[in-house]
Amino acid sequence: MDNHVVIMAGGIGSRFWPMSTPECPKQFIDVMGCGRSLIQLTADRFDGVCPRENMWVVTSEKYIDIVREQLPEIPESNILAEPCARNTAPCIAFACWKIKKKHPRANIVVTPSDALVIDTGEFRRVMEKALRFTDDSSAIVTIGIRPTRPETGYGYIAAANQLQTDKEIYTVDAFKEKPDKETAEKYLAEGNYFWNAGIFVWNVRTITSVMRVYAPGIAQIFDRIFPDFYTEKENETIKKLFPTCESISIDYAVMEKAEAIYVLPASFGWSDLGTWGALRGLLPQDKSGNATVGTDIRLYDSKNCIVHASEEKRVVVQGLDGYIIAEKDNTLLICKLEEEQRIKEFSK
């Protein structure tokens, strides 16, 4: 199989301010304090699924140098610069049409760059299974995460019928928006709802033909760009035509309309790390529920806090309960965890 991985890395990660900024968003930061950024961890977990020369990154023009520096094993021609943000459907089309030019039988995984996976062995098994399923079919597979709580911060995938040929894979009944608490509890109780991780698997013939049906405007633009891929005219053509794409997510453009969509439910310790609270839940905690990233962080009479201050020599916190304390580039945030939805407002 000619396996490829497309890593979407254009987001600005405003909910993780001040650690994440428009100049260096969270996918390029060592969020976990493990010595690897989230985009490096994303590439690492696909080792064995496909070689680095078959990995692709779609990102903003202003992050190209960061991607080159953090992922030097990925060929420069595989780092694709979006002239402007146009959501995930044009981002995915950009990569898939370019891959198709040289790899007309490519089998592709599309993944965000800023999620975390704990069990990388199980992750690889699931990816390889999905790739085998899409390799010689016109199926689109989305990875559904088995929910562990009634989460209101994720979209959901409702599974319908189990396949007779492969008991792990189900047809998709519907994609659901982020629910309220009551609806999320109902989804959890029903047992056939899975978190939408934004990970998609298909062969390149399938996605290009499906987009021609359901997102014809975007498909026509990339059909016009297609002859100029791998030529000296490529950058000029992309800069001219890419901004004319509709700004729309792949879920709205394709997933909610297309037939032959399947879900492969999985459990590999996934989190989209969307909030400071989610990060606190994944980091090791002391007996008082505090999580820290930094060299010398000391907490006294404090509980349920997250402290992220990897650039400071010493941090001392006393008497706080349920706070975010985060420092980066001479900016300090001290905010109640329960008020973290206001961080976008604070960062302006």
Side-chain angles (χ1 to χ4, degrees):
M1 291 192 299
D2 188 11
N3 290 345
H4 294 252
V5 171
V6 174
I7 301 171
M8 299 182 289
I12 59 168
S14 54
R15 287 180 294 180
F16 265 104
W17 183 85
M19 177 177 65
S20 171
T21 63
E23 293 69 47
C24 188
K26 71 168 179 172
Q27 60 267 32
F28 305 119
I29 293 169
D30 176 11
V31 173
M32 302 298 292
C34 65
R36 301 287 280 170
S37 71
L38 290 176
I39 196 171
Q40 289 173 320
L41 292 172
T42 301
D44 292 350
R45 63 177 164 263
F46 281 99
D47 286 335
V49 175
C50 90
R52 292 281 170 132
E53 59 265 27
N54 283 10
M55 292 186 188
W56 304 74
V57 178
V58 189
T59 191
S60 164
E61 284 181 336
K62 63 182 176 184
Y63 305 141
I64 292 292
D65 288 343
I66 304 179
V67 175
R68 281 189 192 127
E69 182 188 328
Q70 293 201 0
L71 296 172
E73 312 89 354
I74 292 181
E76 285 204 20
S77 60
N78 290 17
I79 302 170
L80 310 184
E82 295 178 304
C84 56
R86 279 294 178 270
N87 215 317
T88 53
C91 162
I92 287 166
F94 186 177
C96 290
W97 258 257
K98 180 151 183 176
I99 290 169
K100 189 178 182 181
K101 182 93 186 247
K102 280 196 175 176
H103 305 271
R105 295 193 55 80
N107 210 14
I108 300 169
V109 180
V110 175
T111 179
S113 57
D114 56 358
L116 186 73
V117 166
I118 305 297
D119 187 345
T120 54
E122 174 63 5
F123 176 85
R124 280 190 282 271
R125 184 194 74 79
V126 168
M127 291 304 124
E128 286 164 358
K129 183 178 204 43
L131 285 160
R132 284 193 300 274
F133 186 69
T134 60
D135 184 44
D136 56 358
S137 73
S138 57
I140 291 174
V141 174
T142 179
I143 307 302
I145 307 300
R146 288 194 175 87
T148 53
R149 60 187 183 275
E151 176 60 57
T152 58
Y154 301 151
Y156 284 71
I157 303 159
N161 301 316
Q162 191 177 40
L163 296 193
Q164 292 307 306
T165 51
D166 191 321
K167 302 289 190 196
E168 273 195 87
I169 298 174
Y170 297 75
T171 57
V172 169
D173 181 45
F175 287 85
K176 302 288 189 180
E177 296 295 309
K178 294 174 184 176
D180 58 26
K181 190 74 186 287
E182 189 182 346
T183 307
E185 285 168 352
K186 181 166 133 308
Y187 289 169
L188 200 64
E190 289 187 14
N192 65 318
Y193 285 84
F194 305 98
W195 292 337
N196 185 352
I199 302 171
F200 306 106
V201 188
W202 46 53
N203 68 53
V204 77
R205 303 179 302 283
T206 298
I207 189 57
T208 49
S209 62
V210 166
M211 287 192 83
R212 287 198 179 96
V213 174
Y214 298 106
I218 293 171
Q220 285 161 15
I221 289 163
F222 283 97
D223 282 342
R224 287 172 64 194
I225 295 169
F226 189 78
D228 291 346
F229 280 132
Y230 301 100
T231 74
E232 67 282 354
K233 289 163 70 178
E234 177 177 333
N235 284 347
E236 182 191 341
T237 306
I238 291 285
K239 282 187 173 171
K240 188 168 101 184
L241 294 180
F242 186 91
T244 67
C245 288
E246 178 186 4
S247 180
I248 186 170
S249 74
I250 195 70
D251 283 20
Y252 283 134
V254 172
M255 295 297 150
E256 294 181 3
K257 302 171 187 169
E259 296 169 13
I261 306 268
Y262 299 86
V263 60
L264 174 47
S267 298
F268 39 65
W270 173 89
S271 169
D272 83 335
L273 284 177
T275 62
W276 283 107
L279 177 59
R280 176 179 159 268
L282 287 164
L283 290 168
Q285 295 178 13
D286 66 17
K287 60 182 185 298
S288 301
N290 299 304
T292 62
V293 174
T295 49
D296 186 3
I297 295 173
R298 305 178 188 192
L299 293 110
Y300 299 90
D301 316 316
S302 296
K303 57 186 180 181
N304 308 316
C305 291
I306 175 164
V307 185
H308 202 292
S310 51
E311 296 176 0
E312 295 302 315
K313 284 186 178 175
R314 180 184 296 178
V315 176
V316 178
V317 176
Q318 187 275 329
L320 293 184
D321 180 0
Y323 272 79
I324 303 158
I325 301 100
E327 192 278 339
K328 180 93 187 288
D329 295 335
N330 297 316
T331 301
L332 174 66
L333 170 73
I334 302 172
C335 168
K336 284 184 177 178
L337 264 166
E338 63 190 36
E339 295 285 346
E340 68 174 330
Q341 72 279 2
R342 297 178 61 193
I343 287 175
K344 265 188 190 178
E345 166 197 335
F346 301 154
S347 69
K348 288 171 183 167

